[in-house]
Amino acid sequence: MDTTKLLSLLRTSISSKSLLKDKLIHKKVVTLGLQNSIALCKNLINFYFSCHYYHYAKLIFKTLEDSLDLSLWNVLMAAYAKNYMFIEALEVFDRLVLHPFLKPDSYKYPSVLKACGGLGRVSYGQLIHTQLIRTGFVLDVVVASSLVGMFAKCKRFDYGIKVFDEMSERDVASWNTVISCYYQEGQAGKALELFGKMRDSGFEPNSVTLTTVISSCARLLDLERGKEIYEEFVKDGIAFDSYVGSALVDMYGKCGCLEMAREVFDRMPVKNVVAWNALIAGYSSKGDSKSCIELFRRMNEEGVKPTLITRSCTLMSCTRSAKLEHDEQDKSSFLECYDIRICDSW
DNA sequence: CGGGGGAGTG
């Protein structure tokens, strides 16, 4: 069996998440003496991460870390960053910095910047920023966007916007990053303004853009504009995914159109917890505790785990309900929700 | 091999 065949087997087992099968493949890799195949090992690392077998992933890396292949280090950092293991990602980066022979490339930076953002380590991010200017890697569009995102996550929006303004090359993702930067800062109007600029500059917005733009309309309670923009996107054939769906449910809910919110929600093929929460929050703001309780029960039945937001919205709607003192059914619903809150850890 | 998206209360 050759490397190509093994790789394709591995990809299939990654998508079907069958660990047993993969262990057999891994054994085969070792017995065939292909453990030095970098490409194969990158796939193995990603596979073990997808099964949360981080220890195995690290072992694979360890057997090859002396091979002077930077991409292997980058794969490991990216895998950690993607799984929110930011400390581990930074540890790999720090070790890489001390490496005597490996010369940096632009792929080394996005993951570590994501980790800095996730940990709020702005001073470390700034240190890297300085290096990026010195080495010229800041000219890479992905590296620069990562910087913008890192500064936004660290609440240093001014720095993020400055980096964006100085970018010599931009793409859809970098525009999305800066639009989201304004949104996160609480400047929804400015986010919409940048969206206009993005289109004027000739970039085609995608579903990521749509999510942020709809959320901005939601925050501004500008239902008309949101609808208008959404219809344009529909005409352009932009995908209606779970992010877009949740943003729409949120917008309709915030604007008090619960029928529309419910309609979008029902149309979502996969209802994630954010969509549930957005709908519950909508009913909660109307003081409709009955609908909140009903949804709270339904999501439990459907196996979607409530979050802190689910519970606070549901409970708030119950306490807001003026009938609570008199209506036995509401009272028991409240207690039910409260009991679950005590049993689960928050 | 890398970057960008959504929910609550006070």
Side-chain angles (χ1 to χ4, degrees):
Chain A
M1 203 188 297
D2 63 0
T3 311
T4 327
K5 186 109 183 259
L6 275 170
L7 273 175
S8 83
L9 266 175
L10 198 56
R11 284 204 189 90
T12 328
S13 73
I14 285 180
S15 54
S16 64
K17 301 215 173 197
S18 63
L19 188 62
L20 193 71
K21 207 160 124 199
D22 181 72
K23 276 199 168 158
L24 290 172
I25 296 170
H26 189 184
K27 242 185 180 165
K28 189 93 184 160
V29 172
V30 176
T31 53
L32 285 173
L34 291 172
Q35 63 267 55
N36 287 332
S37 160
I38 301 275
L40 197 57
C41 289
K42 285 185 203 167
N43 278 272
L44 274 171
I45 288 175
N46 281 324
F47 174 76
Y48 283 129
F49 265 93
S50 72
C51 314
H52 311 286
Y53 276 55
Y54 311 116
H55 181 67
Y56 283 102
K58 212 172 167 180
L59 279 179
I60 304 270
F61 174 76
K62 281 233 170 277
T63 61
L64 278 172
E65 71 173 300
D66 298 324
S67 70
L68 296 183
D69 186 300
L70 180 58
S71 73
L72 197 70
W73 292 70
N74 292 339
V75 163
L76 187 66
M77 275 193 292
Y80 277 132
K82 247 182 231 151
N83 287 276
Y84 304 95
M85 299 166 76
F86 300 130
I87 306 245
E88 288 83 352
L90 282 184
E91 274 170 12
V92 178
F93 182 81
D94 287 339
R95 277 182 47 218
L96 186 50
V97 168
L98 297 173
H99 201 288
F101 304 120
L102 285 173
K103 288 256 165 282
D105 68 2
S106 64
Y107 285 84
K108 183 179 147 179
Y109 297 100
S111 306
V112 71
L113 289 169
K114 194 186 174 120
C116 289
L119 295 168
R121 294 195 42 185
V122 67
S123 47
Y124 200 67
Q126 276 173 313
L127 206 72
I128 294 171
H129 188 191
T130 319
Q131 279 176 34
L132 291 171
I133 293 169
R134 208 179 50 229
T135 55
F137 286 125
V138 74
L139 297 173
D140 182 286
V141 64
V142 180
V143 170
S145 307
S146 306
L147 273 170
V148 178
M150 180 275 295
F151 281 126
K153 289 280 176 295
C154 295
K155 311 270 172 213
R156 302 307 297 257
F157 305 105
D158 46 343
Y159 289 139
I161 286 153
K162 188 164 181 280
V163 172
F164 177 79
D165 286 342
E166 289 169 358
M167 282 174 77
S168 53
E169 185 201 340
R170 288 169 187 158
D171 61 12
V172 175
S174 50
W175 278 98
N176 289 342
T177 310
V178 77
I179 291 172
S180 159
C181 190
Y182 279 112
Y183 176 77
Q184 289 172 60
E185 195 192 359
Q187 294 203 51
K190 194 82 187 176
L192 291 177
E193 200 183 305
L194 264 287
F195 168 60
K197 274 193 190 157
M198 169 187 186
R199 290 209 286 201
D200 292 345
S201 312
F203 288 93
E204 285 292 334
N206 58 20
S207 58
V208 178
T209 326
L210 181 58
T211 307
T212 321
V213 166
I214 293 293
S215 303
S216 301
C217 294
R219 252 190 215 166
L220 297 167
L221 302 178
D222 194 341
L223 188 57
E224 283 315 304
R225 187 138 173 214
K227 273 177 164 168
E228 205 178 284
I229 292 172
Y230 179 62
E231 275 155 24
E232 272 176 57
F233 272 81
V234 170
K235 244 183 273 164
D236 294 340
I238 304 288
F240 172 85
D241 62 17
S242 65
Y243 282 88
V244 172
S246 318
L248 284 169
V249 171
D250 174 49
M251 178 179 77
Y252 284 121
K254 277 199 172 70
C255 295
C257 301
L258 274 308
E259 310 76 32
M260 284 302 293
R262 175 76 78 151
E263 202 183 303
V264 175
F265 181 79
D266 289 339
R267 241 175 54 214
M268 290 177 70
V270 180
K271 299 165 177 49
N272 55 32
V273 71
V274 180
W276 284 97
N277 286 352
L279 190 60
I280 290 175
Y283 282 115
S284 177
S285 69
K286 285 235 164 182
D288 184 348
S289 58
K290 275 206 162 40
S291 300
C292 287
I293 297 280
E294 175 226 312
L295 286 165
F296 184 85
R297 286 204 178 120
R298 223 182 98 197
M299 80 184 279
N300 275 304
E301 278 165 23
E302 294 184 20
V304 179
K305 218 173 169 249
T307 65
L308 179 75
I309 296 173
T310 325
R311 295 181 202 289
S312 45
C313 284
T314 312
L315 285 167
M316 285 305 290
S317 77
C318 291
T319 50
R320 241 184 246 131
S321 170
K323 290 191 299 174
L324 189 62
E325 300 281 326
H326 314 288
D327 189 322
E328 278 307 312
Q329 206 195 332
D330 264 7
K331 204 165 170 180
S332 69
S333 298
F334 175 84
L335 289 174
E336 177 192 338
C337 183
Y338 189 68
D339 281 340
I340 293 166
R341 184 193 66 128
I342 291 173
C343 294
D344 287 350
S345 57
W346 278 64

